[in-house]
Amino acid sequence: NAGVTQTPKFRILKIGQSMTLQCTQDMNHNYMYWYRQDPGMGLKLIYYSVGAGITDKGEVPNGYNVSRSTTEDFPLRLELAAPSQTSVYFCASSPGLAGGGETQYFGPGTRLLVL
Amino acid sequence: AQSVTQLDSHVSVSEGTPVLLRCNYSSSYSPSLFWYVQHPNKGLQLLLKYTSAATLVKGINGFEAEFKKSETSFHLTKPSAHMSDAAEYFCVVSVGGSYQKVTFGTGTKLQVIP
């Protein structure tokens, strides 16, 4: 059972470039999340989804976009990369809404460096 | 509004000695509380969670935490540290119902000295 997988593991982007961070889960979870983790900070929610075709903004959505066409996949798009987006990005999923006490299952993360 | 404070950014213990990682929270609603562990270059993994059942919660790898409403605390303990416990630990508070939000603490890095 793979759980939550993320690609790529590491990427260097130039300012202004675009990229998509991929996230796939095989647990048939309806709820999926994207977080960013900055040094010395807790995880901050970027976007989340409660099911295919339904997404909503989290705490720090500016500069990002998401889509959810299937239950399994929840890609995160950076349109115009900026140095402030240098971070580690985690995708997570849960069987119910995390705010309701459900456990979240995390991927291994994507380390992004914008220069 | 809700918040979570991890009182120590770094904790260092000797192998075989007790571990105490401190977490205080505030919430206007009845919260669920979690501890997640993150080993280097890995994703977060659930250690244990409290969801309004028993106040003493046992988790994986010998960890446990006690929910103390009067002190608004959810400290993580382990009687005897192992080298493999070296990692970063996150305390998380969440509220459900009509207002769903998850808030992560800033993390406590645990160092275990042989």
Side-chain angles (χ1 to χ4, degrees):
Chain A
N1 193 341
V4 179
T5 57
Q6 293 181 238
T7 57
K9 291 184 179 178
F10 177 68
R11 181 79 181 266
I12 299 174
L13 279 183
K14 293 182 180 178
I15 294 172
Q17 286 186 321
S18 301
M19 77 164 293
T20 299
L21 283 65
Q22 301 290 346
C23 174
T24 299
Q25 54 95 6
D26 63 0
M27 296 172 283
N28 202 33
H29 289 168
N30 282 325
Y31 301 87
M32 296 188 74
Y33 315 82
W34 273 106
Y35 292 93
R36 60 177 287 171
Q37 182 183 32
D38 298 317
M41 307 288 288
L43 276 66
K44 302 290 186 186
L45 182 66
I46 305 171
Y47 271 94
Y48 68 100
S49 169
V50 302
I54 307 169
T55 63
D56 205 351
K57 295 177 181 179
E59 192 177 353
V60 289
N62 291 342
Y64 307 94
N65 277 301
V66 293
S67 59
R68 183 97 181 270
S69 56
T70 67
T71 299
E72 295 77 21
D73 301 306
F74 190 40
L76 177 72
R77 178 90 178 153
L78 282 71
E79 291 294 349
L80 292 170
S84 61
Q85 293 178 305
T86 293
S87 189
V88 181
Y89 292 84
F90 288 100
C91 179
S93 71
S94 62
L97 194 61
E102 290 284 354
T103 299
Q104 294 181 84
Y105 297 83
F106 287 84
T110 294
R111 196 171 297 268
L112 178 66
L113 179 60
V114 182
L115 299 173
Chain B
Q2 66 192 50
S3 66
V4 58
T5 302
Q6 292 185 243
L7 296 160
D8 306 292
S9 59
H10 289 84
V11 170
S12 184
V13 301
S14 297
E15 190 177 17
T17 64
V19 176
L20 170 63
L21 306 183
R22 299 182 294 165
C23 173
N24 286 111
Y25 72 93
S26 69
S27 175
S28 303
Y29 304 88
S30 295
S32 298
L33 293 157
F34 305 76
W35 277 99
Y36 285 87
V37 60
Q38 184 182 28
H39 290 279
N41 301 313
K42 301 285 187 184
L44 281 72
Q45 178 188 13
L46 180 72
L47 267 182
L48 49 80
K49 70 177 179 180
Y50 165 79
T51 56
S52 76
T55 56
L56 182 62
V57 182
K58 294 188 184 299
I60 61 171
N61 300 333
F63 284 94
E64 65 181 37
E66 186 170 7
F67 173 69
K68 292 187 176 180
K69 186 175 181 179
S70 60
E71 299 176 11
T72 60
S73 69
F74 191 58
H75 301 333
L76 182 70
T77 61
K78 183 174 180 178
S80 176
H82 191 272
M83 293 300 296
S84 61
D85 295 328
E88 189 153 21
Y89 293 79
F90 291 92
C91 183
V92 180
V93 61
S94 74
V95 293
S98 60
Y99 178 72
Q100 287 105 6
K101 185 171 170 60
V102 179
T103 302
F104 285 76
T106 52
T108 298
K109 194 159 288 187
L110 176 64
Q111 179 186 22
V112 182
I113 302 167

